[in-house]
Amino acid sequence: MDELEKVFLGRISAGMTHEINNVLATIREATGLMKDLLLQGKDLSTPLQEKLVSVSERVARQVERGSYLTTRLNRFAHSLDHPERVEDPDELLGLTVDINQRFARLKKVQLNALPCSRNQRLSLPSFHIQLLLANALSWLMDRTAGGGEIILRPTVESGRLTIEMEARPVSESPTEMADTFTELATHVATVQTFIGADFKNRTGVEGFSIILDLPPAV
Amino acid sequence: MGQWNVMLVDDESDFVDTLAERLRMRGFRARAVTDGHEALALAEQDPPHLMIVDVMMPGLGGLEVLKRVKKTLPDTRVILLTGVGSTKEGIEGMRLGAFDYLMKPVNIQVLIDKMHEALVDGE
């Protein structure tokens, strides 16, 4: 995808998520008003009133959920229209967890990010990092045992960001994993070269880690 | 706080009308306006204690409304409502004199607490 296409996609997606959020805000207020009206006649409380209040609360909860998701999608969309963004690595990985959570849930894998060792903001090619992380996570999820966990562990050293993705327990032997890991690295080689990132792997006692190493921003 | 005069400005009429009605049910004198220019004209005729203004509006945007209110009605407090991805505008708004900013959709109780803070601050 060239830069012009990326910016276009980012701009349209960001604009649409903004509009969807306006719709959700209106639904939230309308449901809130219904609840206010129902609760006005407290002394006339009937099972139907109670049921309607409970339904309006359910709608409000789903609006909350929808709003959170659109906010995250909006943030992801903005990673497309800015090739380099100044980011907090914790925020970057928080977004990674959110946008990959559904895939993890389908594989019955827990996906979590640990906080960064250092509170720092870095200039990062966010979209390409998300692309590499999503590919690596998808590959790891396919090899993580059901009920297992993938932990994202960021570290920053002299402006250099390293993200370890550790899966445990894994469903394949370490040798098999190390062999097929080469396929993953080849699959995303162009993007790695583009942002100067490096993918490595490490076999642990119970699990398997992929390490994404990013060069310091120029 | 019985009759605090509050003006809500947002181009989403369903949203702003409903929110105004909910605030009226809670004792505020709340008016809903869907256009920045109209809001400024009405505010000059009957200055509100507090304005709740959406940042992203066609025509006169929320930040411009804020700037003009701060010039003509310095006693009026302004709370900005931002959408997703508009946090930057919210921060800019505070630099321009907004009391605070809240992200839509906002919980009514969170909004009312913030309104009280702003109104007490303005007394």
Side-chain angles (χ1 to χ4, degrees):
Chain A
M1 198 187 299
D2 73 23
E3 209 49 42
L4 192 66
E5 288 170 330
K6 266 178 54 196
V7 170
F8 170 65
L9 189 59
R11 202 171 136 253
I12 298 298
S13 309
M16 294 303 280
T17 50
H18 187 93
E19 284 302 295
I20 293 168
N21 217 35
N22 277 335
V23 172
L24 291 170
T26 306
I27 295 172
R28 183 186 184 123
E29 289 314 316
T31 323
L33 179 59
M34 278 199 301
K35 189 178 163 189
D36 291 347
L37 293 168
L38 284 163
L39 290 176
Q40 260 190 334
K42 267 182 201 156
D43 49 340
L44 300 173
S45 179
T46 64
L48 178 64
Q49 273 180 309
E50 277 176 28
K51 183 78 191 158
L52 289 171
V53 167
S54 148
V55 170
S56 72
E57 284 169 349
R58 207 174 305 158
V59 174
R61 279 197 298 277
Q62 290 306 312
V63 165
E64 202 76 51
R65 182 179 170 214
S67 178
Y68 181 75
L69 292 172
T70 49
T71 304
R72 305 310 272 160
L73 181 58
N74 180 273
R75 189 166 170 85
F76 176 67
H78 280 304
S79 75
L80 281 158
D81 54 20
H82 295 91
E84 288 269 335
R85 284 174 71 91
V86 176
E87 291 230 51
D88 173 345
D90 288 342
E91 279 173 25
L92 178 95
L93 289 190
L95 183 60
T96 308
V97 169
D98 285 337
I99 61 179
N100 290 284
Q101 199 60 263
R102 179 181 157 72
F103 306 114
R105 212 168 47 235
L106 289 172
K107 297 277 180 187
K108 296 187 172 153
V109 170
Q110 292 260 355
L111 180 60
N112 294 305
L114 296 180
C116 198
S117 49
R118 222 167 278 186
N119 194 358
Q120 213 171 326
R121 293 179 73 80
L122 304 169
S123 180
L124 298 167
S126 308
F127 171 72
H128 289 104
I129 295 175
Q130 294 294 2
L131 190 153
L132 289 175
L133 291 176
N135 274 276
L137 287 172
S138 168
W139 185 89
L140 274 177
M141 281 175 205
D142 284 341
R143 290 156 181 85
T144 306
E149 186 181 24
I150 299 177
I151 301 167
L152 305 180
R153 205 175 281 121
T155 45
V156 177
E157 203 60 63
S158 311
R160 192 175 193 93
L161 175 63
T162 303
I163 301 161
E164 179 178 2
M165 290 158 271
E166 185 188 8
R168 61 181 183 200
V170 287
S171 54
E172 288 181 8
S173 75
T175 331
E176 276 178 314
M177 288 189 78
D179 283 348
T180 46
F181 173 77
T182 323
E183 291 168 22
L184 166 72
T186 312
H187 180 60
V188 291
T190 323
V191 179
Q192 285 187 75
T193 312
F194 186 66
I195 61 169
D198 192 19
F199 256 156
K200 289 177 233 156
N201 70 87
R202 184 165 60 211
T203 307
V205 183
E206 291 184 70
F208 187 88
S209 292
I210 296 180
I211 298 146
L212 178 62
D213 192 20
L214 292 142
V218 182
Chain B
M1 60 103 184
Q3 278 299 291
W4 290 117
N5 181 357
V6 179
M7 182 185 282
L8 306 169
V9 193
D10 193 313
D11 62 304
E12 295 276 336
S13 61
D14 281 345
F15 169 77
V16 77
D17 288 343
T18 315
L19 184 56
E21 193 170 346
R22 294 190 78 194
L23 291 177
R24 283 195 292 271
M25 287 178 82
R26 286 162 173 81
F28 291 93
R29 183 152 76 87
R31 284 177 287 174
V33 186
T34 55
D35 174 85
H37 289 290
E38 193 191 344
L40 289 173
L42 290 171
E44 279 193 34
Q45 286 168 24
D46 178 13
H49 297 106
L50 174 68
M51 289 175 80
I52 297 167
V53 184
D54 185 42
V55 166
M56 290 261 201
M57 290 189 291
L60 202 61
L63 291 182
E64 195 50 43
V65 171
L66 167 68
K67 273 190 220 167
R68 297 192 194 184
V69 168
K70 286 287 126 190
K71 255 190 213 159
T72 55
L73 301 165
D75 292 337
T76 297
R77 294 285 179 275
V78 177
I79 293 174
L80 294 170
L81 289 182
T82 66
V84 288
S86 319
T87 317
K88 233 187 259 173
E89 284 82 353
I91 295 166
E92 171 66 6
M94 289 189 71
R95 198 187 61 78
L96 294 170
F99 181 77
D100 209 340
Y101 69 93
L102 295 169
M103 196 182 280
K104 276 168 56 178
V106 60
N107 177 293
I108 187 94
Q109 200 48 54
V110 172
L111 176 64
I112 289 172
D113 290 347
K114 191 57 73 185
M115 288 168 68
H116 281 153
E117 269 181 53
L119 290 164
V120 168
D121 184 72
E123 271 186 324

